[in-house]
């Protein structure tokens, strides 16, 4: 059984609502040209302030889904500046990025907050994309496998195997994000495989839940390097930052995803 192919664009803190609406329109037109049966799952993650503009632009569009870049794990309350899962669902958001390395680096997120947010996403049926990955120092210190396994196991604390159905993980080595230095495809494939093994070892069940979890690669993904990454057996999709801000580049990455779907028909 093959896993879903997912191409997600993380727009980070870029684009006003008007600009976001325009990009959503351009992508919608580009995707229209592709054969529906081979389309990967496509997710656009604009800023909070652009979510209404993008979900409204894509109303009725079954090919492009919308995700948010972060959320609080509580549903409501005195938490000034925060946004909750029910608020996102109300706007038509279907996916949520959790624990992006920029959140971990600059906003104090830890494996524990990632775990809380993952539980909230699963409870509210927002499809979680949990981001993990090592820093340059950790890679140079041969700690990649240890760090990634710890982040994955940390995210999964007290979550039952049966709840994992919508879980997606993104392997994003910190040193590859926004640097133009993407991880070698073979090495990214190895770590994506390790993530799946870690999930299987965590649950120690015969069901091998890790084998069903889509694992994406992210970090300087471009139209030039995505095909090689997406040809690897353990890499089920791409989480794209910079290149997702240009309709032409992101459409080219979606096309590479479509080629993967054509080679490996999707489960859902
Ligand atoms: P990048 O960002 O593609 O610009 O490296 C990826 C990400 O941070 O998700």
């Amino acid at each position: 059984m093959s896993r879903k192919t997912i191409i997600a664009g993380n727009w980070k803190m870029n684009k006003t609502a008007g600009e976001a609406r325009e990009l959503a329109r351009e992508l919608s037109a580009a995707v229209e040209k592709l054969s529906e049966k081979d389309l990967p799952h496509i997710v656009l993650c604009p800023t909070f302030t652009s979510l209404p503009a993008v979900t409204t632009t894509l109303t009725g569009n079954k090919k492009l889904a919308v995700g948010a870049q972060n959320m609080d794990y509580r549903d409501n309350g005195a938490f000034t500046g925060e946004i909750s899962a029910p608020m996102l669902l109300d706007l038509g958001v279907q996916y949520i990025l959790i624990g992006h390395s920029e959140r971990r680096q600059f906003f104090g997120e830890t494996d524990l907050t990632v775990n809380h947010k993952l539980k909230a996403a699963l409870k509210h049926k927002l499809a979680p994309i949990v981001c993990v990955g090592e820093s340059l120092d950790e890679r140079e210190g041969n700690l990649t496998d240890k760090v990634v396994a710890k982040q994955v196991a940390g995210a999964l604390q007290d979550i039952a195997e049966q709840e994992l159905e919508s879980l997606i993980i993104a392997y994003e080595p910190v040193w590859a994000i926004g640097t133009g230095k993407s991880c070698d495809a073979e090495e990214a494939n190895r770590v994506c495989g390790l993530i799946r093994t870690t999930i299987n070892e965590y649950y120690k069940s015969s069901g091998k839940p890790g084998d069903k979890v889509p694992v994406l690669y992210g970090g300087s993904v471009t139209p030039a390097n995505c095909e090689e990454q997406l040809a690897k057996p353990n890499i089920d999709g791409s989480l794209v930052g910079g290149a997702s801000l240009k309709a032409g580049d992101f459409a080219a990455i979606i096309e590479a995803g479509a080629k993967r779907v054509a080679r490996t028909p999707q489960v859902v």
Side-chain angles (χ1 to χ4, degrees):
M1 236 183 18
S2 55
R3 293 173 294 264
K4 290 183 205 175
T5 301
I6 300 161
I7 306 293
N10 174 10
W11 296 359
K12 309 194 182 186
M13 197 175 74
N14 293 295
K15 307 226 176 261
T16 61
E19 291 163 351
R21 187 181 298 115
E22 186 50 33
L23 180 54
R25 276 201 197 116
E26 286 171 10
L27 288 169
S28 186
V31 164
E32 232 16 82
K33 296 185 196 125
L34 301 175
S35 148
E36 184 153 9
K37 80 171 176 28
D38 294 337
L39 271 190
H41 293 255
I42 307 164
V43 188
L44 312 181
C45 302
T47 60
F48 288 134
T49 52
S50 292
L51 284 172
V54 174
T55 51
T56 310
T57 303
L58 300 177
T59 302
N61 185 325
K62 302 236 176 320
K63 298 174 180 170
L64 298 173
V66 179
Q69 299 172 16
N70 178 40
M71 67 172 184
D72 197 275
Y73 59 88
R74 294 157 289 211
D75 288 358
N76 49 48
F79 303 106
T80 303
E82 291 299 293
I83 303 248
S84 72
M87 295 167 188
L88 296 173
L89 287 167
D90 184 50
L91 291 177
V93 170
Q94 292 171 271
Y95 289 81
I96 180 77
L97 297 181
I98 298 178
H100 187 281
S101 68
E102 286 150 18
R103 304 280 332 156
R104 295 181 192 251
Q105 236 181 310
F106 306 126
F107 301 99
E109 296 215 11
T110 62
D111 289 345
L112 186 63
T113 57
V114 168
N115 174 248
H116 287 325
K117 292 181 183 198
L118 177 55
K119 286 177 182 158
L122 296 170
K123 174 177 140 198
H124 290 289
K125 308 225 175 311
L126 271 172
I129 305 178
V130 174
C131 305
V132 298
E134 81 288 357
S135 67
L136 186 59
D137 279 356
E138 288 161 344
R139 173 155 287 265
E140 287 175 347
N142 278 327
L143 293 169
T144 299
D145 295 12
K146 208 171 150 197
V147 167
V148 170
K150 182 175 164 288
Q151 290 176 341
V152 171
L156 296 173
Q157 286 304 308
D158 304 319
I159 294 176
E161 185 182 335
Q162 308 78 258
E163 293 174 70
L164 297 182
E165 216 172 296
S166 63
L167 175 66
I168 301 155
I169 304 235
Y171 169 53
E172 296 207 308
V174 179
W175 49 270
I177 295 179
T179 58
K181 283 187 224 141
S182 80
C183 182
D184 170 71
E186 196 53 54
E187 171 62 3
N189 181 61
R190 185 189 72 78
V191 182
C192 290
L194 167 89
I195 288 172
R196 236 173 242 118
T197 315
T198 305
I199 299 172
N200 287 337
E201 280 168 4
Y202 180 82
Y203 287 99
K204 295 189 182 60
S205 91
S206 57
K208 296 213 166 176
D211 293 7
K212 300 179 199 126
V213 174
V215 181
L216 321 182
Y217 167 75
S220 297
V221 174
T222 64
N225 60 27
C226 63
E227 282 211 32
E228 188 188 1
Q229 294 153 6
L230 292 167
K232 300 289 177 198
N234 286 321
I235 302 179
D236 301 316
S238 316
L239 178 54
V240 189
S244 72
L245 294 169
K246 294 187 211 112
D249 284 0
F250 196 57
I253 297 168
I254 292 169
E255 278 187 52
K259 286 189 195 157
R260 182 181 187 277
V261 177
R263 284 194 305 269
T264 55
Q266 306 195 70
V267 197
V268 196

